[in-house]
Amino acid sequence: MVTNITNFGRSGLSDWLIQRASAVILALYTLFIVGYLLLHPNLDYATWSGLFGATWMRIFSLLAFVSMAAHAWIGLWTVTTDYIKPTGIRISAQAVIILAIFVFLVWGVQVLWGA
Amino acid sequence: MSNMRSLTFDAIIIGGGGSGLRAALELAKSGKKTAVLSKVFPTRSHTVSAQGGITCAIASADPNDDWRWHMYDTVKGGDYIADQDAAEYMCSEGPKAVFELEHMGLPFSRFDNGRIYQRPFGGQSKDFGKGGQAARTCAAADRTGHALLHTLYQNNLKNNTTFLNEWYAVDLVKNADGDVVGCIAMCIETGEVVHVKSKATVLATGGAGRIYASTTNALINTGDGIGMALRAGFPMQDMEMWQFHPTGIYGAGTLVTEGCRGEGGYLVNKDGERFMERYAPNAKDLAGRDVVARSMVMEILEGRGCGENGDHVMLKLDHLGEDVLGKRLPGIVELSKTFAHVDPAKEPIPVVPTCHYMMGGIPTNVHGQAVMQDEEGNDQIVNGLFACGEAACVSVHGANRLGGNSLLDLVVFGRAAGMYIESALNEGIEYLDAAQSDIDAAMTRLNRWNESSGGESVPALKAELQDIMQSAFGVFRQEDNMQEGVKKLAELRERINNAHLGDKSNAFNTARVEALELDNLMEVAEATAVSALERKESRGAHSRYDYPDRDDVNWLKHSVFFPATKTLGKRDVNFSPKTVDTFEPKVRTY
Amino acid sequence: MSMLQVSVYRYNPETDSAPYMQEFQVDTQGRDVMVLNVLAMIKEQDSSMAYRRSCREGVCGSDGMNMNGKNGLACITPLSEVVKGGKLTLRPLPGLPVIRDLVVDMALFYKQYERIQPYLQNDNPEPAIERLQSPEDRDKLDGLYECILCACCSTSCPSFWWNPDKFVGPAGLLQSYRFLADSRDEATSERLAELEDPFSVFRCRGIMNCVAVCPKGLNPTRAIGKIREMLLANAT
C-alpha cells in the first residue's frame, strides 16, 4: 500500500467517499440557492437576510461550507501531488491551500453568525 | 575479453516459454539458485499463441477416459516413431501436471458440473481407436496458451524466480571434458556480454518455424537452442519432421486452431464439398494434422482450390452460430477479422497448410537430459545439458504431433527436467571449470559479427533461406528438389559466414540479435534438409513423392543428424513402455 | 509507386544527445499492410532502427507503440486504420523512459503488475483433481484474464504518467480485479487492504483513455469501478 500523511482521511476510500458526499451536498445547496433566486425575482435585503437568519439555513450553509472545504482540499491535494514533484514546493503549496481554506471557512462562519 | 563479468547459477534456463517457466518453477520452489534467461519478456514467448488447448486424460468430458487411450493416439499419431516410454510418461503424468496448472490459477473454461472443459481435437479416440471420437483437450476458450503462459509466469513471480529478461544466449560453453558448463549471454538492453556459469543448462528455446517463408510461428522462433547445440557438436533427432498445420490463414500465416474443427467446423473446397470425408471417412476433419494438410494440398493440386489462383481451401464455421463462436472461439473471430477480413459467423475463412511445429530437436530422455551417441552408436548422456519443450525431441511426437500435445509436452517435461535437476544438484554435481580457451571458442561467432566490415545484409539472406526451405522442404518432398535445396543451403552458409552486421552499437541492438538468429536458422535449415533428403520413406509429416510408402524395415527409427560430418545416422525407437503393452506399428488410417 | 511517408522517433543513447524525428519513404505497393510490416521495411533501409516484436498477431503484447497519436499494437493495426493524409508518425509509448527508438523501459509498468500479487492465492489443501468452478463464476473472469501486458492502456493514462510509482495503472488494476473476481482466490481482504490508499486505485479519474486504446477490447475502467465497489462494501 502506498502510504501518505498529507491526504485528508489517510485513506483513498474515505477521500473518495467524502469527495462524492460533499459533491452531493454542494449540488443540493446550489440547486436550493438558484431555485430560491428564481422564485424571488424581486429579492430585497430583508428577505435575503431573513433567509440566513433562520437556524436551519445557517446549518445548511455551514454544511455546504464544510463540504466545500473538504472537497477543495481533496481535489487540490490531488492536483498538487499530480503536478508538483519537488517536495518543498508541494508542501508549501499545500500549506497555502490549507490556510486559505481555513480562512474562508472561519470567515464563512463569521458571516453566518456574526451578522 | 578477460574482463568479462561472470554470473553463477545452479541452473540456467534458456527460454521463458511454457517449458522453461515450468522447469524454473520447480527449481525456484526447491530453493536452488536458478535464473530464466529469455530474449523476450517471458509472456511474449511463443507459447502465448497456443490456442485450442492441452490434451490430457483428466476424465472430465468422459468420466471413463483413460490415459492409455491418449497414449495410443499419441503413438499412432506419431506414425510409430514416438518413444513409447516417453509417451507413457507424458500421458500418465499429464493429469497431475494439468491439475497443478489449475491449482496455480489457470482460468480453464468449465462444464456445468464445474470441471475443466474439454473439446474434441484431431486424432483423438476412445478405447484404442475402437470407441470413436474422444474429447480430451482441456481449454481456456481459444486462448489456452496465453492463459497457461501467464499463469506460469505469475507463479514464478510468486516463487521469486530470478529473470534475465531480454538477454540473448549466444553459445554454449563446454569444458575440456565436453560437459556443458554454461553459456555466453548478452544483455540486449546494454549490449554487455557475460559468461554464465551453471551446473545445469536447460535449452527451452522453442521451435524454429521461421526457417520457412510461411509459418504460424512468432518472429522470435529462430531455433536458437538448436543452433547452439549443433555448433557445440551435439546431434539432432528427427529434424525432417516438420508439422504443417492445416489451418493457417491464407496470406497471413496466422494460426486458426484445430479447435474450430473440434467444435464442429469443417473444410470445404471450391465446390463447397466437405472433402475430408473422402480422405478420412471416420475422423474426417479431425484426422491427424499431417493427413489433413496433405489432403488439402491434394485438393489444391487437383484444381479444387478456392480463390482466383485456386491456392487455398475454406474453413466453414458459420453454421456454429455466434453464441458458440463468441464463447468458445472468441480469439479466432478476432484473428479472422484482422488478418482475413472475414467474419467467421458469416463467411468461411480462407486457409492453407502452414509450417507450425518442429517434432524433431535435441534428443533427450524423459528427465530432459540431452543424449548423444558414442562411437558404437550407443546413447550417451551429455553432462550439464538439458532440453525441454519444442526444442527437445523426447520423443513423444514422433513423425507427427497431435493437437494439444505440445502444451502437455511443455508442462510435463519442463516439470520432469526441473525435478531431475533438483535431485541431481542435491546429490552434488562437479564439472571442470571452463578454461579461457573454452570461453573464447563460444565467443567466436559473436566476435565474427562484431568484426565484420562488409558483406551481404541479414534480412536478404534470411529471406533467401526461407524461400529455399519453403520450395524444397514443404508438405510434399522429392529427391531432386531436395538435393538442389541442400546445395543452395551450402552456398548460402558460405555467404552467411561472410555477411555483414552494419550496426555495432550496444544499446538494444536488434540488428545484432537478428544476425545471431540468422546463424541459428541456418543450422536448423541444414539439419532439416539433410535429414529430409536421407529419410527415404514417407512417414507422418515427412511425405515424399519418390518414396510414397512407410518403410518399417529400414526406417522405424529416429534419424540423427551429426553436425560435424553433416551426415545422418539412426537411433532405435523405444518400444518398451513400463506399464502397458507395446503398441505395435499398424497401417495408419483415420 | 505508392510511397508512404513515415516519421519515426529516433534515439540512440550512445550517439544522440537528444531524440529526433526521422523521415522514411516506404513503398507499400498499395497494400493495406500492418504498421509492423512497415517497420520491417524501414529496418531493411536502416538496420539500426530498434523496436520490439514477437508473435505478430496481437497476442504477445511486444509491439505497443504510439501511432499517429494513439497507442496500439503495430502488428494488428492496418495502415487504413491509422494513416491520415498519406503520413504515419510512430513514437514510443508515452510516459515511460526510452531505451532506444521505439523501445521503452517497462520496469515501472511491470513493477506495478507485480505489486498487485498477480497469482492465485488459496491456502486450502489442493484437491486430487481440479478445484471446481461453475461456468457462471468462470464467466466473471472473461474480459480480465485476456490482458497481454502491452502497456497501451497504462501509458495512455495521465494518472499513470504523473504517478507511475504509486498509481497501479489500468493494466495492473485489471489484473488485480481478475484475482479479486476469481471464486478460487481467498486473499480478497488482503488484496483490498493493499489498494485502499489514495493512489493505488483512487488516482483513476475515469477518463477511459485505457478503454479507448486497449487492443484486446478490454475495459479496465469497469474493473476499477468494481474494485471501488468491493472496497466500499468491505469498509462500510
Side-chain angles (χ1 to χ4, degrees):
Chain A
M1 184 158 86
V2 178
T3 50
N4 256 280
I5 56 157
T6 53
N7 73 302
F8 194 77
R10 304 264 171 104
S11 141
L13 182 64
S14 60
D15 276 10
W16 182 74
L17 205 58
I18 290 166
Q19 192 84 325
R20 267 131 200 88
S22 58
V24 171
I25 291 164
L26 288 171
L28 291 176
Y29 192 76
T30 309
L31 280 177
F32 172 79
I33 295 292
V34 170
Y36 189 86
L37 290 175
L38 288 177
L39 290 175
H40 298 82
N42 302 315
L43 187 63
D44 56 19
Y45 177 78
T47 321
W48 186 245
S49 162
L51 172 65
F52 282 86
T55 306
W56 66 267
M57 184 59 196
R58 286 181 174 171
I59 292 172
F60 188 24
S61 299
L62 182 63
L63 187 63
F65 291 177
V66 170
S67 294
M68 171 79 90
H71 198 91
W73 169 240
I74 293 169
L76 288 170
W77 177 81
T78 305
V79 171
T80 57
T81 50
D82 268 353
Y83 298 104
I84 309 178
K85 292 301 168 187
T87 310
I89 302 177
R90 186 173 62 251
I91 289 177
S92 309
Q94 288 173 350
V96 170
I97 292 165
I98 288 179
L99 192 66
I101 290 173
F102 181 74
V103 167
F104 285 128
L105 194 59
V106 173
W107 190 8
V109 172
Q110 199 200 351
V111 167
L112 284 176
W113 270 277
Chain B
M1 285 303 236
S2 52
N3 55 356
M4 196 193 300
R5 191 159 68 103
S6 66
L7 301 172
T8 307
F9 299 101
D10 290 328
I12 179 83
I13 292 155
I14 304 173
S19 70
L21 291 184
R22 187 62 191 82
L25 184 58
E26 205 63 37
L27 286 162
K29 282 184 186 168
S30 75
K32 302 294 175 206
K33 196 177 173 203
T34 317
V36 175
L37 187 151
S38 174
K39 66 176 174 178
V40 293
F41 182 77
T43 64
R44 329 257 184 240
S45 306
H46 187 53
T47 304
V48 82
S49 296
Q51 298 171 351
I54 176 166
T55 303
C56 186
I58 60 163
S60 169
D62 170 8
N64 299 315
D65 201 10
D66 190 320
W67 66 263
R68 293 164 193 87
W69 302 347
H70 179 201
M71 178 185 164
Y72 167 82
D73 293 341
T74 301
V75 170
K76 176 188 172 189
D79 223 348
Y80 297 96
I81 60 163
D83 288 317
Q84 298 200 7
D85 59 339
E88 177 189 36
Y89 183 83
M90 179 176 82
C91 298
S92 61
E93 286 287 298
K96 229 183 284 176
V98 169
F99 293 142
E100 277 171 5
L101 288 172
E102 196 284 332
H103 297 155
M104 286 180 217
L106 201 158
F108 281 112
S109 301
R110 302 286 172 157
F111 283 121
D112 284 342
N113 65 3
R115 292 209 60 190
I116 294 172
Y117 173 73
Q118 290 184 297
R119 61 161 60 107
F121 245 53
Q124 290 179 357
S125 76
K126 298 180 183 183
D127 197 16
F128 308 107
K130 298 188 288 271
Q133 176 74 41
R136 195 173 287 131
T137 300
C138 311
D142 57 357
R143 303 189 176 97
T144 316
H146 169 277
L148 184 148
L149 187 64
H150 280 251
T151 301
L152 284 174
Y153 179 65
Q154 292 161 351
N155 278 270
N156 272 285
L157 288 179
K158 187 178 180 181
N159 287 282
N160 297 314
T161 304
T162 302
F163 283 99
L164 297 172
N165 291 335
E166 296 185 327
W167 280 63
Y168 187 79
V170 179
D171 261 316
L172 296 173
V173 174
K174 289 204 295 182
N175 67 11
D177 295 336
D179 309 325
V180 174
V181 290
C183 65
I184 296 295
M186 178 177 80
C187 171
I188 297 174
E189 185 179 332
T190 63
E192 186 192 9
V193 178
V194 304
H195 172 208
V196 179
K197 296 181 191 174
S198 177
K199 290 172 184 158
T201 303
V202 184
L203 295 175
T205 50
R210 285 284 151 184
I211 63 169
Y212 287 93
S214 168
T215 174
T216 64
N217 282 194
L219 293 158
I220 57 168
N221 284 25
T222 51
D224 297 331
I226 308 293
M228 281 189 274
L230 281 169
R231 271 190 303 277
F234 300 119
M236 281 308 132
Q237 181 170 286
D238 295 337
M239 287 300 289
E240 67 279 26
M241 299 303 178
W242 281 88
Q243 178 164 83
F244 289 80
H245 196 291
T247 53
I249 292 181
Y250 172 71
T254 41
L255 174 70
V256 173
T257 176
E258 186 166 299
C260 291
R261 284 168 286 138
E263 297 287 347
Y266 54 86
L267 297 162
V268 294
N269 59 21
K270 75 167 180 188
D271 306 322
E273 181 203 2
R274 185 176 183 181
F275 59 86
M276 278 314 297
E277 288 176 337
R278 269 188 281 121
Y279 297 91
N282 297 312
K284 300 183 180 118
D285 294 83
L286 289 177
R289 283 179 179 173
D290 55 334
V291 176
V292 180
R294 269 194 297 278
S295 310
M296 291 166 72
V297 175
M298 296 299 293
E299 288 299 297
I300 292 167
L301 291 176
E302 287 170 13
R304 290 188 293 276
C306 306
E308 257 174 53
N309 302 317
D311 55 357
H312 58 273
V313 300
M314 292 291 186
L315 174 63
K316 193 171 139 53
L317 297 176
D318 55 333
H319 57 289
L320 300 180
E322 288 198 26
D323 279 358
V324 171
L325 289 173
K327 182 117 191 112
R328 300 295 183 204
L329 303 165
I332 295 309
V333 174
E334 228 178 270
L335 281 172
S336 335
K337 286 180 180 167
T338 308
F339 288 102
H341 310 294
V342 154
D343 178 356
K346 300 194 179 85
E347 295 166 273
I349 310 171
V351 291
V352 71
T354 306
C355 169
H356 182 57
Y357 188 85
M358 176 178 78
M359 269 75 73
I362 300 159
T364 71
N365 60 21
V366 292
H367 306 302
Q369 293 176 284
V371 173
M372 56 193 261
Q373 288 186 337
D374 64 14
E375 275 159 27
E376 282 85 50
N378 298 315
D379 282 0
Q380 195 187 342
I381 300 290
V382 180
N383 285 331
L385 184 64
F386 296 79
C388 51
E390 191 172 342
C393 182
V394 185
S395 146
V396 283
H397 308 306
N400 170 62
R401 173 173 72 76
L402 289 189
N405 267 359
S406 62
L407 290 184
L408 188 65
D409 173 5
L410 300 185
V411 290
V412 167
F413 292 106
R415 177 173 171 270
M419 292 192 300
Y420 181 83
I421 293 168
E422 183 191 347
S423 66
L425 287 168
N426 287 340
E427 284 168 24
I429 302 177
E430 285 308 325
Y431 300 129
L432 272 183
D433 271 349
Q436 186 59 42
S437 58
D438 301 324
I439 297 169
D440 291 344
M443 285 290 296
T444 316
R445 74 177 182 118
L446 181 59
N447 290 336
R448 211 287 295 162
W449 282 110
N450 285 342
E451 287 154 16
S452 67
S453 56
E456 293 179 81
S457 81
V458 170
L461 289 165
K462 178 156 65 181
E464 216 169 306
L465 181 144
Q466 292 167 333
D467 284 339
I468 296 171
M469 295 309 291
Q470 192 77 29
S471 58
F473 303 93
V475 175
F476 285 105
R477 301 161 174 184
Q478 62 184 14
E479 187 90 7
D480 50 350
N481 236 342
M482 287 195 285
Q483 268 169 347
E484 183 69 22
V486 169
K487 217 176 93 198
K488 282 186 186 162
L489 284 175
E491 290 163 14
L492 192 68
R493 177 183 279 278
E494 275 311 300
R495 290 161 58 200
I496 289 176
N497 286 343
N498 293 304
H500 182 220
L501 172 63
D503 179 8
K504 302 209 172 53
S505 60
N506 290 313
F508 222 100
N509 184 341
T510 52
R512 181 180 284 123
V513 172
E514 287 181 23
L516 293 165
E517 288 174 340
L518 177 63
D519 287 332
N520 294 326
L521 289 170
M522 183 66 230
E523 299 292 346
V524 177
E526 186 181 62
T528 298
V530 171
S531 307
L533 180 63
E534 295 300 321
R535 186 184 277 272
K536 294 186 168 33
E537 65 156 352
S538 288
R539 179 186 300 274
H542 180 61
S543 296
R544 296 183 59 145
Y545 285 124
D546 42 358
Y547 298 93
D549 300 318
R550 196 171 85 187
D551 176 3
D552 283 349
V553 178
N554 296 302
W555 282 106
L556 193 60
K557 298 275 183 190
H558 295 298
S559 71
V560 184
F561 171 79
F562 299 103
T565 53
K566 302 189 197 295
T567 52
L568 199 72
K570 294 179 185 176
R571 181 169 172 243
D572 287 341
V573 173
N574 180 293
F575 284 98
S576 313
K578 293 189 179 69
T579 62
V580 291
D581 292 337
T582 302
F583 295 118
E584 297 295 341
K586 288 191 289 192
V587 177
R588 187 166 159 253
T589 53
Y590 285 102
Chain C
M1 294 288 267
S2 43
M3 294 304 242
L4 175 71
Q5 194 185 345
V6 191
S7 182
V8 190
Y9 181 101
R10 300 300 307 266
Y11 175 67
N12 179 345
E14 291 165 75
T15 51
D16 303 329
S17 54
Y20 61 98
M21 298 303 289
Q22 187 179 357
E23 304 299 318
F24 290 94
Q25 299 287 325
V26 177
D27 182 12
T28 58
Q29 295 169 335
R31 288 171 304 149
D32 185 19
V33 296
M34 301 294 173
V35 172
L36 184 65
N37 301 115
V38 171
L39 274 166
M41 294 177 211
I42 290 175
K43 197 165 174 65
E44 281 182 35
Q45 292 178 28
D46 179 353
S47 68
S48 71
M49 177 75 222
Y51 57 95
R52 292 188 176 101
R53 82 286 182 277
S54 173
C55 77
R56 60 85 177 88
E57 58 187 30
V59 293
C60 81
S62 295
D63 60 353
M65 60 185 68
N66 188 277
M67 300 170 283
N68 276 358
K70 192 176 172 191
N71 289 355
L73 297 178
C75 60
I76 54 169
T77 304
L79 294 179
S80 58
E81 213 171 85
V82 283
V83 171
K84 302 264 152 54
K87 194 161 186 259
L88 176 65
T89 303
L90 300 176
R91 293 172 184 274
L93 290 175
L96 292 174
V98 174
I99 295 174
R100 174 171 176 173
D101 299 342
L102 300 176
V103 178
V104 291
D105 181 353
M106 295 177 68
L108 274 169
F109 174 79
Y110 293 138
K111 209 173 148 195
Q112 291 297 354
Y113 172 66
E114 288 168 28
R115 220 187 88 202
I116 58 99
Q117 305 190 324
Y119 36 80
L120 192 81
Q121 299 183 50
N122 185 329
D123 292 333
N124 292 324
E126 285 156 1
I129 59 166
E130 70 270 38
R131 290 196 172 97
L132 300 182
Q133 184 174 47
S134 70
E136 295 72 36
D137 280 341
R138 170 58 184 75
D139 285 348
K140 293 178 188 155
L141 308 184
D142 283 338
L144 304 173
Y145 81 96
E146 299 94 323
C147 171
I148 58 175
L149 301 178
C150 64
C152 285
C153 59
S154 292
T155 59
S156 69
C157 173
S159 286
F160 188 74
W161 295 341
W162 312 145
N163 290 292
D165 53 336
K166 300 195 188 87
F167 175 51
V168 173
L173 290 170
L174 187 80
Q175 286 319 291
S176 182
Y177 185 61
R178 175 248 173 277
F179 288 98
L180 285 166
D182 196 320
S183 62
R184 301 168 296 172
D185 190 272
E186 303 219 304
T188 303
S189 45
E190 292 85 346
R191 290 181 189 282
L192 290 176
E194 287 297 313
L195 295 173
E196 69 169 30
D197 65 86
F199 283 95
S200 302
V201 174
F202 289 101
R203 236 355 112 97
C204 170
R205 313 241 75 91
I207 63 168
M208 296 178 84
N209 271 15
C210 52
V211 182
V213 298
C214 178
K216 306 307 284 182
L218 309 179
N219 190 331
T221 307
R222 188 194 302 143
I224 293 169
K226 300 265 190 191
I227 295 176
R228 280 201 190 115
E229 279 172 28
M230 289 180 86
L231 281 165
L232 199 59
N234 206 38
T236 51

